[in-house]
Amino acid sequence: MPSTTRPSAEAQPVLAIDFGTSNTYVTKCPGDREDPVGVDFGDGRDGIATAILYRDGKEPLIGHVALEEFGDAGTEHEDYRIRAQFKPDLVSSPEARTDARDFLVGLLTLARRQHKDIAPLQRQVIFGVPSEASETYRDALRAIAEEAGFGEIKTVDEPKGALYFHLQRK
């Protein structure tokens, strides 16, 4: 059973998630230096589409693969349900919270399958949130991320995260 104990905060590596309405970006950084590296999920695109395709009797697909599979299926698969654009509704919609959780579970599953070293329980995990996000929204996102397997997360206003990145890159 994996340990849920995190390394000390002093040299703890960081996993940063820009959980966007349309696309999600994953970046990791060693704890001992500012050297962020984006995680490529293998399709050569920047980020992964924030979308999930539910298929009766099968594991859901996420990202661009989900969108492409749904588009290619046409009307052949009445059992397909595509979900996207759920991020803004996390507070008001139980269905959006479920979709978000399932998407994040799928993200961790995809990372494991592709042998991507993102190990959220071994890192400080930061999720970007819109600066106007309420505390209720932040609490909902924290609960969803924890349920999905990211452990306890910290939220950072998205404009501040972008500013930190650009200042670090000069």
Side-chain angles (χ1 to χ4, degrees):
M1 181 147 193
S3 170
T4 58
T5 306
R6 295 181 187 258
S8 69
E10 192 172 295
Q12 190 175 17
V14 173
L15 178 66
I17 312 293
D18 179 359
F19 178 49
T21 301
S22 298
N23 290 293
T24 294
Y25 301 88
V26 178
T27 304
K28 59 185 185 173
C29 186
D32 58 350
R33 64 189 183 283
E34 293 179 3
D35 189 19
V37 175
V39 177
D40 177 3
F41 286 96
D43 63 3
R45 299 177 193 192
D46 190 18
I48 185 167
T50 308
I52 185 164
L53 175 62
Y54 294 103
R55 308 171 298 162
D56 289 348
K58 295 181 181 177
E59 183 177 314
L61 296 174
I62 66 162
H64 297 96
V65 171
L67 295 173
E68 290 165 7
E69 174 68 18
F70 183 75
D72 290 346
T75 58
E76 295 174 27
H77 290 277
E78 292 178 10
D79 61 323
Y80 280 14
R81 293 174 319 283
I82 191 78
R83 300 289 188 256
Q85 306 283 317
F86 41 80
K87 177 187 169 189
D89 299 322
L90 295 183
V91 172
S92 62
S93 168
E95 182 181 28
R97 289 190 294 277
T98 298
D99 296 340
R101 183 202 60 220
D102 292 350
F103 171 80
L104 292 172
V105 166
L107 190 67
L108 289 177
T109 300
L110 181 61
R112 279 191 295 278
R113 280 195 186 127
Q114 294 183 357
H115 307 287
K116 304 292 182 189
D117 177 26
I118 64 172
L121 298 179
Q122 302 303 314
R123 291 178 161 80
Q124 177 184 356
V125 181
I126 300 170
F127 271 66
V129 295
S131 58
E132 71 277 3
S134 68
E135 197 57 36
T136 303
Y137 180 90
R138 292 167 193 265
D139 288 344
L141 181 58
R142 287 183 196 108
I144 290 163
E146 187 167 3
E147 286 176 27
F150 283 87
E152 188 176 321
I153 69 162
K154 178 180 177 183
T155 60
V156 174
D157 290 349
E158 290 166 351
K160 290 178 185 173
L163 178 62
Y164 295 149
F165 174 79
H166 290 292
L167 287 174
Q168 189 271 332
R169 294 289 177 168
K170 296 183 177 35

